[in-house]
Amino acid sequence: EENVPDADDPNVLYFGPGVHNPPGGRIELTDDQTLDLAPGAIVKCNVFASGKNISIRGRGVIDSNPWDWRHGTAPHVISLQKCQNAMLEGFVIRGPSHWTLVPVNCDGVEIDNVKICGGRVQNDDGINPCNSRKVTVRNTFIRTDDDCLALKGLDNSYGNCEDILVENCVLWCDRARIVLMGHESRAPYMRRVTFRNIDVIHAQTRNFLLEPGEKMRLEDILFEDIRFEMGVENELPPEVLEKMKDLDTSKLRFD
């Protein structure tokens, strides 16, 4: 790790190695605060953050396994609401119980080297920038049952979803889409969005679905250097697989 914060700083909420159960299973962060998860720390919680210059970092684990589907202690496993200049780096999120990492009406969010290990429940979307601007996701691994990344413009009073960059990531979806853009969207625009240098290592249905809803305009979208590693079992519906089970699929080609 580099630039490890001082655990004695009053603005640093530090969790050392071991298992931790914060009161009520919820951590709240505001202006200039840092949540520091040391290597070996397992913190059973959801996080609600709102303010400027908030950081969540370290090599520990945020564990959402204790909560049943959609019964977490915050709107999302990590809920960023009206944040400016937020940094999330290095840690693992394990067993999301609902949407995982969600910036809502935020300006300036950087997500780097975060590992999301989901697939436990439905509706466990990985990263959902909603009505947010200047969001960067890089060097990140996401495994989910639901969409890995879903960009939405939920409320037109929150502003546009724009200037989003996702790069150098590895994505795995058990059931839904790798990327979904436009559902449940009432913002005027979703624009200037780039996905590049992405490895999709497992997918089950449409990988990238662009479907702007409710008159939201979707424009200036770039997909570049996207690689797929998928077997026959990922590409074909169950009814086709059933008919093919006695065939020698090693001789089939899918171009």
Side-chain angles (χ1 to χ4, degrees), residues 40-245:
I42 299 174
V43 185
K44 298 179 182 293
C45 71
N46 291 171
V47 179
F48 181 87
S50 182
K52 298 179 180 179
N53 306 318
I54 292 171
S55 176
I56 304 173
R57 62 166 319 282
R59 299 297 181 268
V61 176
I62 291 176
D63 186 6
S64 189
N65 277 291
W67 291 278
D68 293 334
W69 174 51
R70 302 180 74 177
H71 282 82
T73 60
H76 317 107
V77 178
I78 297 181
S79 185
L80 307 176
Q81 304 273 347
K82 298 183 180 179
C83 288
Q84 297 181 28
N85 191 30
M87 175 69 189
L88 297 89
E89 185 270 331
F91 57 92
V92 174
I93 303 174
R94 187 170 71 182
S97 55
H98 47 320
W99 284 13
T100 306
L101 201 169
V102 185
V104 178
N105 197 10
C106 293
D107 285 278
V109 176
E110 185 167 350
I111 300 166
D112 188 9
N113 190 28
V114 171
K115 284 74 67 175
I116 296 175
C117 303
R120 181 173 70 92
V121 299
Q122 57 184 324
N123 304 121
D124 65 345
D125 293 22
I127 299 176
N128 287 11
C130 297
N131 300 88
S132 290
R133 296 149 294 280
K134 298 180 182 177
V135 177
T136 298
V137 181
R138 58 168 54 99
N139 307 318
T140 288
F141 170 78
I142 303 174
R143 179 189 177 175
T144 54
D145 177 76
D146 210 335
D147 308 316
C148 289
L149 293 116
L151 282 61
K152 301 187 179 186
L154 296 176
D155 190 322
N156 59 12
S157 67
Y158 289 170
N160 295 323
C161 188
E162 56 192 0
D163 299 310
I164 312 294
L165 170 63
V166 181
E167 63 178 359
N168 309 332
C169 293
V170 178
L171 307 177
W172 171 337
C173 186
D174 289 329
R175 181 181 54 88
R177 276 80 46 167
I178 296 297
V179 173
L180 173 66
M181 299 175 63
H183 277 204
E184 303 170 305
S185 293
R186 292 167 287 280
Y189 288 96
M190 180 177 292
R191 58 190 175 185
R192 298 191 297 276
V193 179
T194 297
F195 289 84
R196 68 184 178 211
N197 194 28
I198 305 293
D199 284 287
V200 177
I201 62 172
H202 183 93
Q204 198 68 28
T205 183
R206 299 176 184 89
N207 285 271
F208 294 86
L209 179 58
L210 282 64
E211 197 168 45
E214 303 187 39
K215 299 184 179 181
M216 182 189 71
R217 185 176 177 87
L218 185 64
E219 66 179 28
D220 195 6
I221 312 299
L222 174 65
F223 296 90
E224 183 177 58
D225 294 331
I226 313 294
R227 294 170 295 277
F228 302 88
E229 182 176 342
M230 298 170 63
V232 173
E233 68 278 6
N234 302 129
E235 300 182 31
L236 301 175
E239 60 272 18
V240 176
L241 290 174
E242 178 65 23
K243 294 177 181 178
M244 293 175 58
K245 65 182 180 181

